[in-house]
């Protein structure tokens, strides 16, 4: 079984993320979406909210799992039996950043391969940081988010 980890903060998960996940499902038998802790980010949404949203989006696809983890991504890959890490890239700057991480991961855990997928053009400008800012100031985030996330955010405001 080809198991892959798609790590990120997913704060919140966007249509750009789901684009990568949906296309990754054609490549792997099991895709674990790992909500990780990034020491340089302060999340807006609780891990439980993000997990619930993702589970809701993929409730009909048994190949998708979602979980929270802390520590090194390659260590978590070993824990869940993932031989692959999936990452999405939007721009050249994303590629440079992701390649550096992939190179370090390969040095630490050469048995784990990183796969980079470029985001579909219509989603290349979507970033969770921008979505959070729009949401924080009362703007319309509808064009950027899956329905399950929009619903969760609406329930959160009430």
């Amino acid at each position: 079984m080809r198991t892959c980890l798609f790590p990120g903060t997913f704060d919140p998960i966007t249509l750009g993320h789901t684009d990568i996940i949906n296309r990754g499902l054609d490549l792997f038998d099991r895709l674990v979406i790992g909500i990780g802790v990034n020491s340089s980010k302060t999340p807006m949404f609780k891990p439980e909210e993000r997990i619930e949203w993702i589970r809701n989006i993929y409730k009909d696809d048994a190949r998708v799992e979602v979980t929270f983890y802390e520590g090194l991504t390659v260590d978590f890959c070993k824990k869940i039996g993932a031989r692959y890490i999936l990452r999405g890239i939007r721009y050249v700057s994303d590629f440079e950043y992701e390649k550096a991480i992939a190179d370090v991961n390969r040095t630490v855990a050469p048995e784990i391969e990183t796969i980079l997928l470029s985001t579909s053009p219509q989603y290349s400008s979507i970033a969770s940081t921008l979505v959070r800012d729009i949401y924080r100031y009362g703007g319309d985030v509808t064009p950027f988010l899956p329905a399950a996330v929009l619903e969760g955010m609406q329930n959160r405001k009430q």
Side-chain angles (χ1 to χ4, degrees):
M1 176 180 284
R2 290 181 320 258
T3 298
C4 180
L5 174 67
F6 184 35
T9 53
F10 305 104
D11 187 41
I13 189 168
T14 68
L15 293 174
H17 293 125
T18 58
D19 173 56
I20 297 298
I21 293 165
N22 295 341
R23 291 170 42 227
L25 285 168
D26 289 337
L27 304 173
F28 304 102
D29 303 307
R30 176 178 170 231
L31 187 61
V32 178
I33 302 167
I35 298 176
V37 174
N38 184 329
S39 60
S40 65
K41 294 181 180 180
T42 303
M44 176 180 275
F45 303 102
K46 295 177 186 172
E48 299 81 14
E49 290 176 294
R50 292 178 268 161
I51 288 170
E52 181 182 335
W53 295 337
I54 297 168
R55 282 187 179 149
N56 194 356
I57 294 166
Y58 292 100
K59 66 181 179 265
D60 297 325
D61 196 327
R63 299 173 296 169
V64 178
E65 300 172 27
V66 60
T67 189
F68 180 81
Y69 77 98
E70 294 183 70
L72 294 177
T73 297
V74 291
D75 289 342
F76 187 65
C77 283
K78 292 173 187 176
K79 180 179 176 183
I80 64 169
R83 290 194 44 234
Y84 306 95
I85 296 171
L86 178 63
R87 299 292 294 165
I89 55 174
R90 296 170 294 185
Y91 302 110
V92 173
S93 58
D94 285 348
F95 174 78
E96 291 171 352
Y97 175 76
E98 294 298 341
K99 181 171 182 337
I101 293 171
D103 289 347
V104 168
N105 285 342
R106 186 175 299 111
T107 300
V108 174
E111 70 279 12
I112 298 171
E113 190 65 54
T114 299
I115 309 296
L116 303 176
L117 290 182
S118 60
T119 306
S120 296
Q122 65 268 33
Y123 304 121
S124 65
S125 64
I126 301 174
S128 292
T129 303
L130 298 174
V131 172
R132 285 193 309 272
D133 284 345
I134 294 167
Y135 176 75
R136 183 177 288 120
Y137 295 108
D140 181 14
V141 293
T142 304
F144 312 110
L145 300 174
V149 178
L150 292 167
E151 183 180 322
M153 290 173 138
Q154 288 297 332
N155 293 339
R156 191 177 205 260
K157 281 186 174 181
Q158 296 172 358

